[in-house]
Amino acid sequence: MPAAGTPARFAVPSTTDLNPIWHPSPNFGSRRDGLGPSLVVLHYTAMNSAQAALDRLCDPQYEVSAHYLIGCGGTLWQMVREEDRAWHAGAGEWRGQTDINSRSIGIELDNRGDHPFSEPQLATLETLLLAILSRWKIPPSGVLGHSDMAPGRKIDPGPRFPWSRLEHQALAAQSGAGDCPQNLTQEAFRAAARAAGYTAQTDDDTLLATVRLRHRPSATGPLHPADFAALIP
């Protein structure tokens, strides 16, 4: 593997219609095993400002990065070329596949996790997603939250993220409205979740909480038929 952060790799950022501000991070490497982007993983920064997040994502001490950061005012920074492997996802699994960093493009959203996402930020995200999905031939089902692939370890982009807005523009998979078996069991729910992509090992309560973060963020209480239905196209 070539050494991470070599100056030649900083030369040309990926192009988008948004003209992102190029702010290179030294925290990246080559995608492994010849993999290219087949997923997009959305995060929130959980920091007090976009500048604080930018500093962290570009600091070699922390060994974290993302391909893009979108400020609450809609400003877009790019830190790692899409062709390269940013260090944003960490340990996790989706559809039985690990090393999500080698398979994905990471987008950080300037948000602490305790307030709504801004209109300018979401507008920039939508334009960026449209370009990325087109460029890499990624289907809407390939757009994930960090929580989806790291259940119990991560909860971002959190319950305030407006997934339905992306769904309406075919920028994320639609939540289902399928039929639920008359006698819903935890085993049936786990099988439906696994078929939908949730293959990481986790306990029943964490799996339910993870699915709800994406599909039913206001839901509480025990397993409900609507939890199962949300997973069925």
Side-chain angles (χ1 to χ4, degrees):
M1 177 187 296
T6 53
R9 301 288 292 283
F10 287 163
V12 182
S14 305
T15 57
T16 75
D17 293 338
L18 290 166
N19 296 316
I21 298 168
W22 183 231
H23 193 288
S25 172
N27 303 331
F28 73 93
S30 298
R31 295 183 183 273
R32 297 169 179 165
D33 301 321
L35 293 168
S38 59
L39 302 169
V40 178
V41 180
L42 304 182
H43 309 257
Y44 60 50
T45 59
M47 301 188 76
N48 288 328
S49 70
Q51 187 60 55
L54 194 64
D55 292 345
R56 177 68 61 89
L57 294 164
C58 295
D59 188 336
Q61 173 184 348
Y62 293 100
E63 298 186 338
V64 294
S65 62
H67 293 88
Y68 295 99
L69 168 66
I70 304 176
C72 61
T75 301
L76 176 66
W77 290 270
Q78 184 173 3
M79 294 157 285
V80 176
R81 299 190 318 157
E82 291 180 5
E83 295 83 353
D84 293 323
R85 182 181 185 270
W87 303 342
H88 63 97
E93 182 177 317
W94 184 252
R95 294 195 179 281
Q97 298 177 325
T98 57
D99 190 6
I100 302 301
N101 281 338
S102 287
R103 305 175 188 276
S104 64
I105 290 171
I107 302 174
E108 290 275 359
L109 301 170
D110 173 26
N111 187 288
R112 296 188 307 272
D114 59 0
H115 60 91
F117 293 81
S118 72
E119 174 60 34
Q121 184 176 57
L122 292 171
T124 296
L125 174 62
E126 290 159 356
T127 303
L128 178 61
L129 280 175
L130 185 64
I132 291 172
L133 299 191
S134 174
R135 184 158 46 245
W136 294 101
K137 305 297 186 290
I138 299 173
S141 59
V143 179
L144 313 178
H146 200 185
S147 57
D148 291 321
M149 48 76 49
R153 187 174 69 83
K154 295 293 181 179
I155 63 167
D156 53 314
R160 292 177 178 269
F161 186 76
W163 282 105
S164 60
R165 176 167 168 158
L166 297 188
E167 292 174 17
H168 292 156
Q169 299 176 72
L171 297 174
Q174 295 279 341
S175 289
D179 294 329
C180 180
Q182 281 190 326
N183 298 310
L184 176 60
T185 64
Q186 187 65 54
E187 290 72 22
F189 175 71
R190 182 171 285 277
R194 186 172 185 83
Y198 296 92
T199 55
Q201 293 295 315
T202 189
D203 60 80
D204 291 344
D205 289 343
T206 301
L207 178 62
L208 177 59
T210 299
V211 170
R212 283 178 169 174
L213 269 175
R214 168 65 177 83
H215 296 284
R216 302 185 67 228
S218 63
T220 59
L223 179 64
H224 187 277
D227 298 312
F228 180 94
L231 296 169
I232 308 301

